[in-house]
Amino acid sequence: MIGRLFFLFLRISALTIGGGYAMIPVMKWELERSGLLTEKEFFRIVSTAQVVPGPIAFNTAVLVGKRLAGISGAIASGLAVVLPPFFAIVAVAEVIRALSGISYVRSFLRGAYASIIGLVGSVLYRLVKNQRWNLYRAIMIGVAVFVLLLNGSLVIPVVILLVLLLYLKEV
């Protein structure tokens, strides 16, 4: 059963285009067709997978694997869903690295980098604009930005502390 689940989810992950939510109907169809789960069982698992933090396809695969083959099934199913995109990213990175000496590719990458900065900046602007600001929040964020400008290696502790301080103030 573990091998069957591994190859089922590996095939789904490798051949489905569109991300996690595009994989859900394919998972449903494959699991029903193979007689492993009923539609009702599958939708119960998906509803649980939606409330668990993380990617929906990974969560669903892990929960299906656990339901059908225990912890080993969960590990095999989760690994199978993660492997194809992991190797795709490694392959693309390797191609980009190999072609990075070409001026057209370098120019494209610089432009892509600039557009990503613009997209992230746009989202950040909207988040800041729609925030309910008060003096405490402004001071906390200002101090956090100042600390990060002094020492950028403290990103994770500063962000966690900032979130805790802002959350505790709201409660």
Side-chain angles (χ1 to χ4, degrees):
M1 177 58 74
I2 294 168
R4 186 175 177 192
L5 286 170
F6 179 83
F7 287 109
L8 177 111
F9 285 113
L10 186 72
R11 185 177 72 242
I12 291 169
S13 181
L15 300 176
T16 305
I17 297 172
Y21 281 102
M23 292 172 66
I24 297 300
V26 178
M27 287 180 183
K28 177 189 172 293
W29 184 80
E30 286 285 344
L31 291 164
E32 279 183 32
R33 186 180 65 86
S34 61
L36 294 173
L37 290 175
T38 65
E39 181 179 48
K40 189 175 183 178
E41 291 170 321
F42 180 76
F43 283 129
R44 278 194 184 132
I45 289 172
V46 170
S47 64
T48 303
Q50 288 180 324
V51 298
V52 175
I56 186 74
F58 177 78
N59 292 344
T60 302
V62 167
L63 292 171
V64 167
K66 178 148 183 355
R67 166 98 164 61
L68 297 175
I71 296 295
S72 298
I75 292 169
S77 299
L79 190 61
V81 166
V82 170
L83 284 177
F86 171 77
F87 284 116
I89 290 168
V90 169
V92 168
E94 216 27 60
V95 168
I96 288 173
R97 189 184 64 73
L99 299 176
S100 65
I102 301 171
S103 64
Y104 293 117
V105 174
R106 272 196 317 272
S107 297
F108 168 78
L109 292 174
R110 278 192 219 115
Y113 181 72
S115 68
I116 290 169
I117 290 172
L119 290 170
V120 170
S122 170
V123 169
L124 182 61
Y125 170 75
R126 287 189 203 128
L127 284 171
V128 169
K129 186 176 111 182
N130 293 319
Q131 194 61 246
R132 292 186 325 256
W133 287 99
N134 59 37
L135 185 60
Y136 176 79
R137 184 173 284 175
I139 290 171
M140 288 293 107
I141 291 174
V143 168
V145 168
F146 180 72
V147 169
L148 291 175
L149 288 173
L150 290 176
N151 189 346
S153 66
L154 297 174
V155 171
I156 293 174
V158 168
V159 169
I160 290 172
L161 183 62
L162 178 64
V163 168
L164 284 173
L165 290 172
L166 292 175
Y167 175 75
L168 291 175
K169 177 70 174 163
E170 296 291 323
V171 178

